[in-house]
Amino acid sequence: MQFQNMKWANILFFEITPAKKTSQTIIYLAGGGFVLPITSLHYEFIAQIVEETGARLVVPNYPLAPYYHVDDVMAFFKGSLSEVCRWACVARG
């Protein structure tokens, strides 16, 4: 399993890939109530998903409250996630 910090189209995200090459990609949105950043518990769960599915996981680093408003977060999801998906599913697929 390999873990990388990535940046594409001004979007920061993590990419976790299994040891064996795959064409499957999962976009994982770490739960923290839009307030808390990703934690070690998320990484353990992400590693388990990669091991059990054999898929590559892409984890976007989305904006958090109170520094950002919910409208900012939704704009991120609507625009930026489509870009991450294009990168993960087409360019890397």
Side-chain angles (χ1 to χ4, degrees):
M1 190 175 316
Q2 186 176 21
F3 176 88
Q4 295 181 63
N5 288 315
M6 306 289 290
K7 185 175 182 180
W8 189 74
N10 293 322
I11 303 163
L12 298 174
F13 59 95
F14 308 104
E15 178 187 42
I16 303 88
T17 54
K20 186 177 178 183
K21 186 173 176 157
T22 182
S23 62
Q24 297 178 333
T25 300
I26 298 170
I27 297 176
Y28 180 84
L29 303 176
F34 301 105
V35 178
L36 301 173
I38 192 167
T39 69
S40 61
L41 294 175
H42 290 109
Y43 292 119
E44 291 173 19
F45 184 59
I46 288 167
Q48 182 179 355
I49 293 171
V50 171
E51 284 181 23
E52 291 185 14
T53 65
R56 172 179 59 239
L57 261 71
V58 175
V59 185
N61 188 12
Y62 57 86
L64 300 174
Y67 305 104
Y68 294 90
H69 187 269
V70 66
D71 293 340
D72 300 319
V73 177
M74 297 317 294
F76 173 85
F77 286 143
K78 288 178 183 177
S80 301
L81 282 182
S82 65
E83 294 298 317
V84 170
C85 185
R86 186 175 324 147
W87 174 85
C89 300
V90 177
R92 301 283 301 239

